[in-house]
Amino acid sequence: MSAGPVVIDLGVRTNEPPAEPAPSRPALARHLRTAVTALVVALVLAVGGSAPQPGPALVEVAAPPTSIWQQELLVGDRLYVVHPPTDRSFRRTVTAYDLTRGADLWTTPIGVETRALGPEGEASLSIAGERLLVHTEDRTFVLDTASGRLRASVPHHVTGGDAGNVGLVREPIWSFVSDDPAVNATVRVVAGASGEVVHVTAVEPGEAPRVSVQVDGVSVRAFDLDTGAELWATGSVTAGELLPGEPPSVAVLTRDGVLEVRDARTGAVRHSRARAVDGSMGWLGVVGDLVLVQTGLSEATAYAAGTLETVWRAALPRHGAAYDCGAVLCVAMAGRSLLIDAGNGRPLGEVVANGHLDSRGGHLLRLGPREGELDHTVDPYSGRPLVDLSDWPDPVTGAEGSPLVLTRPDQLPDRAWFAVLEPGATRIQVLGPVPHRVSQCQSSDTHLACRTGNGLRVWTYR
């Protein structure tokens, strides 16, 4: 369709009222000064003054080779990827990418060679200080984050902390129990992952008792992350958690209710607290420099991690389940959650929640009824809802210490939007769209990484 005619105003006017008298010289000067000032302001605003206009909030910086069977982990400006075997390399490989320089740092093969190419078992990655832990179906590989050197290989799923080079394995212990009263009750007790026989009860020859299986606690085992050597192990206990700080230590809750702090390398008991928990069932958590235990059904106690001195004791609603919510302790009940100050044990408020509460990116979050969706941020010291997240219900998996990054699909099929809620902020900052449908997104404090229809893509967002 052609454009219409162009009309040029030549300044010829007819049948108009006569012009008003020209202004006096002083008035004219004032008008000129005003016009010039307005023009200067407009030009300054147009060029942004001394502050340049901000660039795009999302800038794509990497699109590394991608396989549908790979797993990745984003930490700061570093991306770690576990690649499946190929027809060139018959072993899994781990690659580290420097996203700032846009360069591969190192590639390390792990595991044994396999000639059967195809879907691999699930693998996952985590960081323990300066070590990258790669968890596969049957073992954990420990790699140096700077060089990629393989430090150790442990035939268990090992979790590590920031301090020291000790990792823990929590191995369930199973009891095989007979339901025949004529036969000794316990047939045998074995450690789940390794199959190691912990205890055997004799059975009369020729008898084949009917048995049931039940969990009989866990065995906590400590490993050196630099050599893979086992350092020490417990018998059947209720729980074990690494404690922050140096020298590294482990909190252990025994089956008879004793709370212990053990040396992480030797297993020697440094401090002990008898009757910390009533019976063999209890909850053990670590919040900052406090060790929290749920005693019985209606009480929680906080102990100083370094000495096991009692810091506070708080009553809980009967049958409430306590768990760590960052700056506060959350107690889940039917349709609501109680908030307790982790520093002094005082109740702070209640939150009506169809889902439950979680702590991410410096915010306490109320989750929606659909698994994983976000509803509101919550004031941890009153339970009052703060920021409505219903328009951004999908959180991005964030690295520890990174802001809360949010995403949502666009009406266009191949576009997604991102936003960020900084720690302490009460307004969502929209970052903008990307021209892809995204999934399995991760965020650090500077970057975003998502699976797209065209492989893995990475953007900077601040």
Side-chain angles (χ1 to χ4, degrees), residues 70-109:
Q70 77 177 37
Q71 289 82 32
E72 58 270 347
L73 176 67
L74 178 64
V75 181
D77 59 358
R78 190 79 63 86
L79 180 70
Y80 301 98
V81 180
V82 181
H83 298 281
T86 66
D87 54 359
R88 292 184 178 181
S89 172
F90 295 99
R91 300 167 67 186
R92 278 188 171 117
T93 56
V94 184
T95 300
Y97 299 95
D98 185 324
L99 300 173
T100 301
R101 295 176 7 199
D104 298 4
L105 295 178
W106 47 259
T107 296
T108 301

Side-chain angles (χ1 to χ4, degrees), residues 142-169:
V142 184
L143 283 71
D144 184 276
T145 56
S147 66
R149 178 176 63 86
L150 181 62
R151 291 173 177 255
S153 173
V154 180
H156 303 279
H157 186 102
V158 180
T159 58
D162 293 333
N165 64 336
V166 176
L168 291 188
V169 173

Side-chain angles (χ1 to χ4, degrees), residues 83-415:
H83 298 281
T86 66
D87 54 359
R88 292 184 178 181
S89 172
F90 295 99
R91 300 167 67 186
R92 278 188 171 117
T93 56
V94 184
T95 300
Y97 299 95
D98 185 324
L99 300 173
T100 301
R101 295 176 7 199
D104 298 4
L105 295 178
W106 47 259
T107 296
T108 301
I110 60 171
V112 298
E113 289 192 359
T114 175
R115 303 288 170 145
L117 301 181
E120 286 288 319
E122 194 69 25
S124 60
L125 302 97
S126 62
I127 291 290
E130 299 176 351
R131 300 160 184 84
L132 175 68
L133 307 184
V134 182
H135 312 282
T136 63
E137 315 84 56
D138 57 353
R139 66 182 49 242
T140 297
F141 298 91
V142 184
L143 283 71
D144 184 276
T145 56
S147 66
R149 178 176 63 86
L150 181 62
R151 291 173 177 255
S153 173
V154 180
H156 303 279
H157 186 102
V158 180
T159 58
D162 293 333
N165 64 336
V166 176
L168 291 188
V169 173
R170 301 165 188 84
E171 196 171 36
I173 294 178
W174 306 94
S175 293
F176 292 75
V177 181
S178 171
D179 59 5
D180 186 346
V183 179
N184 290 332
T186 301
V187 178
R188 62 175 180 166
V189 180
V190 300
S194 65
E196 176 186 354
V197 176
V198 179
H199 172 75
V200 175
T201 297
V203 178
E204 294 297 326
E207 293 186 353
R210 295 169 296 174
V211 297
S212 60
V213 180
Q214 64 186 32
V215 178
D216 191 32
V218 296
S219 172
V220 177
R221 306 170 72 174
F223 288 84
D224 187 312
L225 294 179
D226 291 333
T227 65
E230 182 171 335
L231 301 173
W232 54 271
T234 69
S236 178
V237 298
T238 299
E241 296 288 341
L242 280 168
L243 296 175
E246 289 284 356
S249 55
V250 179
V252 173
L253 186 60
T254 70
R255 298 281 288 169
D256 55 358
V258 177
L259 178 62
E260 300 173 340
V261 173
R262 298 193 177 198
D263 185 287
R265 292 204 59 84
T266 66
V269 177
R270 293 177 179 166
H271 305 284
S272 179
R273 190 79 161 184
R275 296 185 298 278
V277 173
D278 183 16
S280 61
M281 300 303 293
W283 173 85
L284 172 65
V286 178
V287 179
D289 57 356
L290 295 179
V291 179
L292 304 179
V293 295
Q294 182 171 343
T295 55
L297 297 176
S298 58
E299 188 177 66
T301 305
Y303 299 96
T307 62
L308 288 188
E309 294 293 326
T310 301
V311 178
W312 53 258
R313 183 171 283 113
L316 300 179
R318 189 170 179 81
H319 302 299
Y323 60 98
D324 179 13
C325 277
V328 297
L329 187 66
C330 293
V331 183
M333 300 169 286
R336 60 195 177 99
S337 291
L338 174 66
L339 303 178
I340 294 178
D341 191 312
N344 55 35
R346 295 175 182 172
L348 298 169
E350 289 191 2
V351 180
V352 176
N354 292 326
H356 65 279
L357 302 180
D358 195 7
S359 177
R360 302 184 204 174
H363 296 274
L364 181 62
L365 305 173
R366 184 175 73 182
L367 305 187
R370 183 172 65 88
E371 182 178 359
E373 73 176 4
L374 302 182
D375 183 75
H376 273 83
T377 66
V378 175
D379 182 352
Y381 300 104
S382 69
R384 180 172 57 91
L386 295 177
V387 183
D388 185 357
L389 301 177
S390 58
D391 288 338
W392 299 88
D394 300 321
V396 172
T397 301
E400 186 175 356
S402 65
L404 177 63
V405 177
L406 310 164
T407 184
R408 70 182 181 195
D410 189 80
Q411 292 180 348
L412 298 176
D414 293 324
R415 190 162 76 161

Side-chain angles (χ1 to χ4, degrees), residues 33-47:
R33 284 196 300 269
T34 302
V36 170
T37 301
L39 179 60
V40 170
V41 171
L43 290 173
V44 170
L45 292 175
V47 300

